[in-house]
Amino acid sequence: GQTHVDWLKSKGYDNTIYITNYAGLDNSIWRKLITSNDSLRQRMALALSEIVVASTEGISVNWRTFAVAYFMDILESEAFGNYRSLLDKVSLSPAMGVYLTYRGNVKANATTGSQPDENYARELMQLFTIGLQMLNPDGSVQLTNGVATETYTQADVSGMARVWTGWNFDTTGYVGPYGVDAMTRPMVQVRNRHETGSKTFLGVTIPAGTSASASLSTALDTVFNHANTAPFVCRQLIQRLVTSNPSGAYVARVASTFTNNGSGVRGDLKAVVKAILLDPEARDMANVSSANFGKLREPVVRFLNWARAFKATSASDAWSIGDLSDPATRLGQSPMRSGSVFNFFRPGYVPPGSELANQGLTAPEFQITNESSIPGYVNYMQKAISGVGVSDLKPDYSSLLALVNDSMALLNELNLVLASNQIPAATLAALQSALDSITVSTDTGKNNRVHAAITLVMASPAYIAQK
C-alpha cells in the first residue's frame, strides 16, 4: 500500500501553507489503520508505536507532519522485520531526533562545562531496549540480596550520550530553508559537533577516533544484544496484543524466539509476533474463564475493530477523523499522540485500590480509563456508529440489516464479529429486551436497531475486556 509520506504528498500536504502544523497526519494514520489489507502489520506498527514512542506532542519543527509520517512508515516497514534494523532507523529518524532532543546535540565543551544532551541515551536504554532492572529470561526481576539489580548507571547514560552527538537533519540540496525531504530521510553527521573521544557504557568502550556511524552501530548492537532486551520488549508486545499478565513461561518462550528465530537470527519480529499469537497460553480456551488472563482493549483498538468489521469508507478519501485524544468527547487516545515518551499508559500500571491491585495484577490500559473517558467513549462510538459527527466516515451494515427483524440473531452476529462470542447469555438477553423496544417497521427503525445493537455490544464489559 501507499506509504504515509507518499499519500500526504499526493494530497498536497507538502504545500508550504502546512509547514508548521499537523494537517493531514491524523488523516493518513486513520486511513492506513482502517483500510490497509495487512491488518496484522498495522496492528503491530501500532503496538511498536507505544513502545518506541515519538509523540506529536513534542515535535515542534517545520514539516512535522512529514517527520511523524516517515516515523510511522519506519514502524510499518519493520513491523515484521528485525528489531535491530528498527532501532537503527528510529535512531536516525528526524522525528525521534527532535522528540528526544539529540538532533543538534553537541560534544562536551571543557571551557563552558556543557555536556551532551542525555535524553536519548537514557530512554533508548530505559524504554526501548533493556529497562531499569535486570531480568531473567522469563521477565522476572533479578535480585541481589533481595534488591532489584539495576541495568545501568548514570555513568552509562553519560557515556552513551557521547554517541548521540553531531546528528542533524540531512538538508542536502537546500540553499534556503529545508523542505519535506529533510524530514523523510535519515539524519546525518555534522563532524565538528561529534564527540571523537572514547565512549564507555554497559561494559563496552568505543575507542577514541571511532567514526560516528561506527559508534552508533556499537551502541545499538550493545543494547540489542543485551540479555534484558528480549524479555523486556517481548513482554510488552504480549501485553499490547494478548494479555496484560502473561506467565513467566509465556514470556520466556517468546523471548527465546527473539533471541533465536530457529535459524540463528536474533530480533526477528515476524517470528516474535507469530510466537506471541500462536503460543499455547494465547490459544488455550480455558483462559477465557480465567480472571488473570486477558486485557482491556485500548480505545483506539475498539474504534478500529468497528471500522474494519464494517468496512468504513471515506467518500472524499479525506479521512477527517482527527485527533481523538479528548477523553470527555472522544476516545481519550489517538495514535502517535501520547502525552509523553512513557506512552499513554505504563506496562506496569496497577489501578490503585482495585481488585486487580489486591490480586497483584497489572492493567496498563486502565491508566486512561476514568469517569470522563468511559462515557466519552460510548458517546463518541454512538456518533460514529450512527454515521453522524465523524466526518464522512460511512460503515456498511448491509449484513446486519438482513438480520434486523430477529434481535437475537443480530446480537449473535455482533457477539461473534466483535467479541469472539465472549458476551454471556444473560447479558445478551438483557440487550435483546432493549433492542426489542425499537420497532423495525420503517427504515429508520431498522437502522436505529442496528446502531443500538452495535453500541450496546461495544459498551459491554465482555467486549471491552479482550480474552
Side-chain angles (χ1 to χ4, degrees):
Q2 201 174 19
T3 65
H4 289 288
V5 167
D6 287 347
W7 185 83
L8 286 163
K9 285 180 179 176
S10 77
K11 294 295 184 183
Y13 286 109
D14 52 353
N15 186 305
T16 50
I17 60 172
Y18 301 119
I19 194 169
T20 58
N21 61 38
Y22 275 121
L25 181 64
D26 292 310
N27 313 56
S28 186
I29 291 173
W30 288 122
R31 171 194 69 92
K32 209 79 191 276
L33 289 172
I34 291 170
T35 65
S36 281
N37 57 12
D38 54 354
S39 56
L40 182 57
R41 181 183 291 277
Q42 297 302 321
R43 184 71 190 83
M44 185 66 169
L46 189 64
L48 288 168
S49 78
E50 296 182 3
I51 297 172
V52 182
V53 175
S55 169
T56 59
E57 303 304 308
I59 304 176
S60 301
V61 68
N62 285 350
W63 301 115
R64 61 195 70 176
T65 282
F66 283 89
V68 179
Y70 176 65
F71 187 85
M72 280 297 285
D73 285 335
I74 290 171
L75 297 183
E76 201 178 295
S77 69
E78 292 298 331
F80 299 148
N82 194 286
Y83 200 69
R84 175 65 180 79
S85 173
L86 175 70
L87 290 175
D88 205 48
K89 291 178 179 178
V90 159
S91 297
L92 291 177
S93 69
M96 188 63 84
V98 174
Y99 187 59
L100 289 183
T101 59
Y102 59 101
R103 169 248 165 163
N105 198 3
V106 185
K107 62 187 175 185
N109 183 320
T111 310
T112 64
S114 72
Q115 294 295 318
D117 184 298
E118 298 180 345
N119 214 2
Y120 191 61
R122 180 176 290 104
E123 306 308 0
L124 173 65
M125 291 191 283
Q126 180 182 344
L127 299 174
F128 305 166
T129 54
I130 66 178
L132 291 170
Q133 301 167 327
M134 287 298 295
L135 303 175
N136 296 306
D138 66 357
S140 59
V141 176
Q142 288 184 20
L143 304 177
T144 307
N145 299 324
V147 179
T149 314
E150 293 185 353
T151 48
Y152 61 86
T153 63
Q154 176 54 40
D156 292 317
V157 175
S158 301
M160 188 184 276
R162 294 157 71 89
V163 172
W164 305 107
T165 52
W167 299 101
N168 214 325
F169 304 149
D170 179 0
T171 56
T172 309
Y174 290 103
V175 179
Y178 63 81
V180 164
D181 291 352
M183 292 300 103
T184 58
R185 53 194 182 197
M187 292 191 294
V188 292
Q189 261 298 305
V190 179
R191 289 185 62 179
N192 64 353
R193 290 176 162 236
H194 183 68
E195 175 56 68
T196 53
S198 67
K199 309 163 181 71
T200 300
F201 48 86
L202 299 173
V204 171
T205 296
I206 299 174
T210 304
S211 73
S213 58
S215 296
L216 180 147
S217 289
T218 300
L220 293 181
D221 284 344
T222 302
V223 290
F224 172 68
N225 290 311
H226 192 286
N228 255 37
T229 300
F232 183 75
V233 172
C234 292
R235 186 172 192 277
Q236 288 187 74
L237 284 171
I238 294 169
Q239 285 186 309
R240 297 282 54 75
L241 299 171
V242 178
T243 179
S244 297
N245 296 276
S247 69
Y250 187 3
V251 174
R253 287 189 292 270
V254 177
S256 113
T257 300
F258 184 102
T259 305
N260 182 347
N261 68 352
S263 303
V265 176
R266 181 181 179 85
D268 177 357
L269 291 175
K270 184 177 181 182
V272 167
V273 76
K274 184 177 178 183
I276 289 170
L277 298 178
L278 299 182
D279 190 84
E281 192 165 319
R283 316 303 291 176
D284 187 352
M285 287 305 292
N287 280 328
V288 171
S289 53
S290 164
N292 296 350
F293 188 82
K295 67 193 288 293
L296 195 71
R297 288 184 211 266
E298 52 194 290
V300 161
V301 170
R302 294 178 228 161
F303 176 70
L304 293 172
N305 283 167
W306 164 78
R308 293 190 78 100
F310 303 110
K311 301 179 176 62
T313 53
S314 165
S316 62
D317 194 37
W319 301 96
S320 303
I321 296 164
D323 175 4
L324 303 189
S325 300
D326 185 343
T329 60
R330 295 193 167 91
L331 295 180
Q333 185 191 23
S334 209
M336 299 304 293
R337 288 182 174 275
S338 71
S340 80
V341 71
F342 298 105
N343 187 29
F344 303 99
F345 36 75
R346 303 296 299 272
Y349 180 75
V350 180
S354 64
E355 186 55 33
L356 287 162
N358 296 340
Q359 294 184 35
L361 298 173
T362 59
E365 296 84 357
F366 271 90
Q367 196 167 355
I368 55 170
T369 306
N370 53 49
E371 297 87 343
S372 177
S373 70
I374 293 169
Y377 157 71
V378 177
N379 290 339
Y380 181 78
M381 285 310 305
Q382 196 167 19
K383 276 192 209 166
I385 289 161
S386 61
V388 295
V390 184
S391 168
D392 62 350
L393 200 66
K394 286 284 182 286
D396 175 6
Y397 297 142
S398 51
S399 61
L400 300 179
L401 286 165
L403 304 170
V404 76
N405 291 317
D406 181 343
S407 55
M408 188 48 81
L410 177 60
L411 286 168
N412 285 337
E413 173 70 3
L414 291 169
N415 188 17
L416 173 64
V417 170
L418 293 171
S420 306
N421 282 336
Q422 305 285 309
I423 301 175
T427 304
L428 290 174
L431 299 186
Q432 182 182 22
S433 340
L435 293 183
D436 284 343
S437 68
I438 301 170
T439 55
V440 288
S441 51
T442 64
D443 284 348
T444 302
K446 288 174 182 174
N447 285 320
N448 286 345
R449 182 178 279 189
V450 166
H451 300 161
I454 301 170
T455 304
L456 291 169
V457 164
M458 293 193 72
S460 68
Y463 165 70
I464 291 175
Q466 171 190 312
K467 288 286 192 176

